[in-house]
Amino acid sequence: GAVVSQHPSRVICKSGTSVKIECRSLDFQATTMFWYRQFPKKSLMLMATSNEGSKATYEQGVEKDKFLINHASLTLSTLTVTSAHPEDSSFYICSARDLGQGDYGYTFGSGTRLTVV
Amino acid sequence: GQNIDQPTEMTATEGAIVQINCTYQTSGFNGLFWYQQHAGEAPTFLSYNVLDGLEEKGRFSSFLSRSKGYSYLLLKELQMKDSASYLCAVMDSNYQLIWGAGTKLIIKP
């Protein structure tokens, strides 16, 4: 089945630094990648939708200059949290759609636990 | 606005049956998903319903009524490993997934 590889799984960074999270589709081409954030005991919150070769579409309230998304190829999308602050600490998850599986095809990465100290 | 409602938490006994309900109000409908999420892990796909009725897959079944904006996930022969959060999500008219807050299922021996 479709696999999305997400790295790193856990990262601790100092306040003010930047962190890059990578998501790769391993056996399919992901023209669209979704980036979610999840706070403890809360639902997934869509941050942005990235499309290969074009600018990402950000949800209302998400700062595009703070959460930089790059989707340079059909198999790789990255999310960079710039000038991280403790309130950015969260669980970040990417998801891609394998069109070969039709509407079933939303596959999630394993998630990245970001802690900003 | 768009809204997905499901209970916050449920408790059931190992070996029993539990039904997790989900009601939704969305702008358009292109299917309803159920995902399982263990603590600290990403969600994994359980089921997809786009037509009314019951879909059975092993110990798990999912039901949909589009006219009532209602779905349920039925888990039979509960095992301890079924302790997890169960997320209901609806694909709207823009093919975006709208997520419920999840139902935390606690299984007791």
Side-chain angles (χ1 to χ4, degrees):
Chain A
V3 176
V4 174
S5 175
Q6 182 172 348
H7 294 280
S9 57
R10 279 189 178 84
V11 59
I12 301 173
C13 72
K14 290 185 178 180
S15 190
T17 61
S18 296
V19 173
K20 180 185 281 189
I21 301 170
E22 286 191 356
C23 273
R24 294 179 184 273
S25 56
L26 296 188
D27 48 5
F28 67 100
Q29 293 182 331
T31 53
T32 302
M33 191 80 78
F34 302 92
W35 286 94
Y36 292 89
R37 180 165 53 183
Q38 187 177 33
F39 292 105
K41 300 183 180 180
K42 299 292 183 183
S43 185
L44 295 168
M45 187 190 80
L46 181 65
M47 299 175 65
T49 302
S50 75
N51 296 294
E52 185 267 336
S54 64
K55 291 183 179 180
T57 302
Y58 289 81
E59 296 299 303
Q60 195 171 9
V62 178
E63 300 173 60
K64 57 185 174 184
D65 293 332
K66 179 170 182 61
F67 298 98
L68 300 179
I69 290 173
N70 185 282
H71 195 155
S73 77
L74 286 171
T75 58
L76 175 64
S77 178
T78 61
L79 167 68
T80 302
V81 182
T82 63
S83 187
H85 291 288
E87 57 264 31
D88 298 323
S89 299
S90 187
F91 192 52
Y92 292 86
I93 312 174
C94 63
S95 172
R97 194 171 172 202
D98 180 2
L99 295 179
Q101 295 187 42
D103 289 324
Y104 293 69
Y106 288 93
T107 301
F108 286 85
S110 54
T112 298
R113 174 77 58 194
L114 171 64
T115 303
V116 184
V117 297
Chain B
Q2 311 211 86
N3 198 46
I4 310 280
D5 284 318
Q6 50 182 133
T8 305
E9 188 173 294
M10 298 182 72
T11 302
T13 304
E14 189 177 16
I17 299 173
V18 71
Q19 177 175 311
I20 303 174
N21 296 324
C22 171
T23 58
Y24 62 90
Q25 291 176 309
T26 57
S27 56
F29 180 83
N30 280 300
L32 185 144
F33 295 80
W34 283 97
Y35 281 82
Q36 181 190 61
Q37 185 178 26
H38 285 99
E41 299 180 11
T44 54
F45 172 82
L46 289 178
S47 68
Y48 171 71
N49 294 66
V50 68
L51 299 176
D52 289 351
L54 187 68
E55 296 272 348
E56 296 185 76
K57 193 186 294 184
R59 293 189 299 115
F60 292 6
S61 302
S62 55
F63 171 84
L64 174 68
S65 169
R66 287 172 298 171
S67 62
K68 294 181 180 178
Y70 168 70
S71 171
Y72 68 72
L73 179 69
L74 191 71
L75 293 77
K76 302 176 184 176
E77 300 169 19
L78 286 169
Q79 301 174 11
M80 297 304 292
K81 67 178 182 179
D82 297 330
S83 292
S85 286
Y86 291 85
L87 307 176
C88 172
V90 172
M91 193 186 308
D92 68 9
S93 56
N94 294 319
Y95 292 91
Q96 296 270 38
L97 281 181
I98 312 299
W99 293 89
T103 298
K104 182 178 180 181
L105 178 62
I106 300 168
I107 310 296
K108 295 186 175 179

